Amino acid sequence: MDFRPTEEQQLLRRTIREFAEREIRPHVREWDHAQQFPRDLVARLAGLGLMGIQFPEQYGGAGLSAIEYCICIEELARVDPGVALSVAAHNGLCAAHIARFGTEAQKQAWLVPLARGEKIGAWALTESTSGSDAAGMRTAAVRAGAGWTLDGSKTFTTHGRIGDVMVVMAVTDRAAGVKGISAFIVERGTAGMAAGKKEDKLGMRASDTSEVLFDNCRIPENQLLGGEGQGFVNTMQVLDAGRIGIAALSVGLAQGAYEAALAYARERKAFGRTIATFQAIQWKLVDAATRIEAARLLTYRAAWLKERGGRTTLESSMAKLYASEIAVRVAEDCVQIHGGYGFVKDYPAEKYFRDVKLTTIGEGTSEIQRLVIARQLLSRS
Ligand SMILES: Cc1cc2nc3c(=O)[nH]c(=O)nc-3n(C[C@H](O)[C@H](O)[C@H](O)COP(=O)(O)OP(=O)(O)OC[C@H]3O[C@@H](n4cnc5c(N)ncnc54)[C@H](O)[C@@H]3O)c2cc1C
């Protein structure tokens, strides 16, 4: 076992950190307040390969490993978790679904422009009445001539309004249960597809989230993704990897909150001393730093296993569950260490505290991660 990052990985971390400090940090509050995804950032993200992090260079990607993907997401989340969420949804859900299950022609048509950052990706599974119980979706696609007609609606779709390419899950054979769900690639502007309500969110406000509506939306046969009836099975595999990304996002967010708390504790004075000299404050910092390291190791282990090709259902869920839950604690302690200043927008603490809650909800709630982990543990002899 070798826990040391390679020289390339250290350079990658420094590069993304400098980029995030220079290009993102000055705008964090503005984007949060405007609740607007900074579309003009995409070309600069793409310039560093961040719109196609793990995809082979032949498809326009940066060809980085799963651990390097984690480093990129971490460094973005350390500065702005909302931007990191958008990058993770684009890479880890939409583009990853096409990369993994698309035909060569589909990869050329949609993965290449996604990986180059010429198009933004979205991935629509959740509906208003089916989130955790995703297989209970109502959106349906029926065969119509040489293609399909899609009807229904999706909710909480990241990039639902701005995504150029969307992977949409729909029921194609209700009697077949989870084997009757298929995935489709839908391009923005397709007749019968429209963006619905934009969500007014607690946090992650720089990331666009909205409903998407389908009404008699015609999809050509070549946009069926991964085979008829394979959509849900493939979704579970996409989520196994996607959850490693949310774990990395949680680690990065916690790292940002911890650093903000440490810096504040070193300068804020009370009773004639800096508050960092109080043991009660030190213990919060110690617990935060220790939990972050543990979460990072779980996350990298899941990424390392993914890189070697096996299923990582157990390891991904453990990493996502632990990293998101410790991130909530770290962000809360960051506010506490800031006292009243943790409650106002002049300091970054309150934003980390608002953003962090998504990590225990998106890509499967903590309750669902525990359910997945329990199933895995109980099925082992
Ligand atoms: C900002 C944001 C971005 C998102 N982006 C996307 C996206 O890009 N694409 C997409 O498809 N979805 C997206 N989602 C949706 C997200 O994945 C769902 O919100 C999440 O899976 C939970 O579903 P739900 O909201 O319907 O909650 P519900 O499933 O209704 O859950 C409500 C509560 O019940 C609990 N619960 C449910 N079932 C069980 C059970 N069996 N055992 C124990 N507890 C249970 C849950 O853990 C939760 O606490 C996004 C959500 C947000 C907020």
Side-chain angles (χ1 to χ4, degrees), residues 29 32 260 264 268 331 334-354:
R29 275 183 65 190
D32 179 59
Y264 187 79
R268 176 70 175 175
C334 175
V335 172
Q336 193 67 19
I337 289 171
H338 279 74
Y341 294 99
F343 209 68
V344 296
K345 293 189 187 292
D346 297 342
Y347 287 84
E350 66 85 33
K351 181 170 179 294
Y352 287 122
F353 190 54
R354 286 187 288 109

Side-chain angles (χ1 to χ4, degrees), residues 107-178:
K107 289 184 205 173
Q108 291 298 338
W110 292 289
L111 177 60
V112 170
L114 285 167
R116 286 187 184 148
E118 293 158 7
K119 294 195 168 171
I120 297 179
W123 190 81
L125 175 70
T126 306
E127 301 185 3
S128 59
T129 54
S130 59
S132 304
D133 180 18
M137 69 179 67
R138 293 181 183 169
T139 296
V142 292
R143 279 202 177 277
W148 299 80
T149 301
L150 194 57
D151 280 285
S153 64
K154 294 289 175 179
T155 195
F156 296 141
T157 308
T158 301
H159 306 154
R161 295 176 79 85
I162 61 166
D164 304 296
V165 177
M166 188 174 294
V167 173
V168 181
M169 269 49 75
V171 176
T172 45
D173 178 1
R174 204 162 289 283
V178 293

Side-chain angles (χ1 to χ4, degrees), residues 50-51 53 55 69 73 76 81-96 121 123 158-159 207 238 241-242 244-249 363:
L50 293 172
M51 298 301 279
I53 302 171
F55 309 115
Y69 177 76
I73 299 296
L76 294 174
V83 170
L85 180 66
S86 275
V87 171
H90 168 94
N91 275 273
L93 297 178
C94 176
W123 190 81
T158 301
H159 306 154
S207 177
V238 169
I244 302 174
I246 300 299
L249 192 159
E363 296 200 29

Side-chain angles (χ1 to χ4, degrees), residues 56-108:
E57 287 167 21
Q58 71 187 101
Y59 296 114
L64 296 178
S65 70
I67 287 183
E68 287 152 4
Y69 177 76
C70 291
I71 292 171
C72 295
I73 299 296
E74 254 182 81
E75 289 303 322
L76 294 174
R78 177 181 163 273
V79 173
D80 192 337
V83 170
L85 180 66
S86 275
V87 171
H90 168 94
N91 275 273
L93 297 178
C94 176
H97 200 138
I98 297 171
R100 189 140 180 204
F101 300 108
T103 61
E104 185 56 30
Q106 287 172 334
K107 289 184 205 173
Q108 291 298 338

